[in-house]
Amino acid sequence: MDRNDWLAERFESHRGHLRSVAYRMLGSLGEADDAVQEAWLRLSRTDADEVENLGGWLTTVVGRVCLDMLRTRRTRREEPIGERLPDPVVANADGTDPEQQALLADSVGLALLVVLEQLAPAERLAFVLHDMFGLPFDEIAPIVDRTPAAARQLASRARRRVQGAAPAPDPDPVRRREVVDAFLAASRGGDFEALVAVLHPEVVLRADDGPAAPLIVVRGAREVASQAFRFRHMAPFSRPALVNGGAGTVTVVDGRPVSVMDFVVADGLIVAIDVLADPERLARLDLDLLED
């Protein structure tokens, strides 16, 4: 095995972890892949023999790349943060796809990613690398050009904003699926009151139809039930899926995905629903569960 093959093999052993880091930093699967590819290019130009901890070195590189990408988003004054939903990670409901499982390990729901989008880039990096991946502040500090104490403050500030803003789901996946199934059954049956019964009084629904339309935000059980009731004709085409590791659905019509829905269930009620119905982004997702 020559040096390039040896280096590529070592890099591939870390790819899944690096993609997970980049996805949580960026909320975009395509940009996450770009960040990982940039890390490979930097590694290929480095004397890897001098790198004592390759995994830590690569994580740091990906963190720097993602931080630059987040800052560039703001500099270019792209879409205001929070106006688009992050990319969902979709897998079969049985969770047997090993590649998707690697990305979903210690998964983060769309509702939490939406909150992370509100953070300043340095806050997001400190929170993601420390709270989600356990990187010490001594290693985070150089990435954000801060002291370890200042990096700790960044993570703490981000943690306070995240806590309470992103609902914590029920730990029992079976119970979560039962509640989502009850929601779908009520939709299929056109039972408005049954829909209201499985929704938290302060439930929030966010629907992203694509850049041509503003993000739709609906709050309140009866209001969200009304929205679901309007689209009850689509319920028979919905099938179970894992969306960011949680109970979700993919709606498929004539072999084409028309929406991905992510549900957050807490205390037996649905507290948040995120719906991606952007045809262009849906077409880019790897939805292997389209096969019957």
Side-chain angles (χ1 to χ4, degrees):
M1 181 182 296
D2 64 21
R3 181 185 181 280
N4 287 337
D5 290 341
W6 170 79
L7 194 60
E9 185 175 291
R10 293 189 67 193
F11 180 81
E12 287 302 319
S13 69
H14 296 282
R15 180 182 290 275
H17 166 75
L18 298 176
R19 192 168 184 242
S20 295
V21 171
Y23 172 64
R24 285 152 180 76
M25 281 291 299
L26 301 168
S28 163
L29 294 170
E31 289 183 348
D33 288 335
D34 290 343
V36 172
Q37 181 62 21
E38 177 62 25
W40 161 248
L41 293 175
R42 295 189 186 188
L43 177 63
S44 66
R45 298 192 293 264
T46 300
D47 185 356
D49 293 332
E50 296 184 359
V51 178
E52 295 183 4
N53 179 359
L54 183 61
W57 186 89
L58 287 170
T59 299
T60 299
V61 170
V62 165
R64 286 197 176 98
V65 172
C66 291
L67 185 63
D68 289 342
M69 293 172 76
L70 288 174
R71 287 170 171 166
T72 299
R73 282 183 189 174
R74 294 198 167 202
T75 301
R76 291 178 177 174
R77 299 184 181 275
E78 296 178 0
E79 293 177 351
I81 293 176
E83 289 198 358
R84 298 267 73 89
L85 288 180
D87 289 344
V89 179
V90 184
N92 283 308
D94 59 12
T96 56
D97 185 329
E99 182 176 348
Q100 295 292 57
Q101 282 300 299
L103 186 56
L104 290 170
D106 301 319
S107 59
V108 54
L110 287 184
L112 177 55
L113 283 174
V114 169
V115 178
L116 293 182
E117 293 284 348
Q118 311 301 319
L119 302 177
E123 290 177 344
R124 185 169 185 170
L125 181 137
F127 178 81
V128 168
L129 292 187
H130 180 267
D131 285 43
M132 294 183 175
F133 294 97
L135 205 68
F137 289 115
D138 286 348
E139 297 180 32
I140 295 172
I143 306 176
V144 292
D145 296 322
R146 305 285 212 289
T147 65
R152 182 186 299 274
Q153 289 179 344
L154 287 173
S156 177
R157 189 158 58 238
R159 197 177 303 117
R160 287 194 299 271
R161 295 186 64 184
V162 168
Q163 290 173 345
D170 284 341
D172 183 358
V174 175
R175 179 58 180 150
R176 295 199 302 264
R177 176 57 63 187
E178 289 174 349
V179 173
V180 172
D181 287 346
F183 175 89
L184 291 176
S187 296
R188 292 177 181 128
D191 190 335
F192 182 81
E193 293 304 325
L195 278 169
V196 174
V198 296
L199 296 171
H200 188 278
E202 298 179 4
V203 62
V204 178
L205 178 145
R206 289 174 289 261
D208 185 343
D209 293 332
L215 186 73
I216 298 170
V217 181
V218 181
R219 303 178 187 274
R222 301 194 75 83
E223 290 77 9
V224 170
S226 296
Q227 188 79 2
F229 199 75
R230 286 179 53 207
F231 291 95
R232 64 188 182 279
H233 61 286
M234 301 299 293
F237 302 100
S238 296
R239 58 186 70 180
L242 282 177
V243 180
N244 285 58
T249 64
V250 174
T251 301
V252 181
V253 178
D254 296 330
R256 181 177 60 87
V258 296
S259 71
V260 171
M261 299 180 69
D262 176 52
F263 297 81
V264 180
V265 177
D267 297 326
L269 294 174
I270 296 170
V271 297
I273 305 173
D274 290 301
V275 184
L276 179 65
D278 179 350
E280 183 177 339
R281 290 172 67 194
L282 287 172
R284 293 199 299 263
L285 295 179
D286 181 17
L287 299 179
D288 60 344
L289 67 169
L290 295 183
E291 300 180 5
D292 293 319

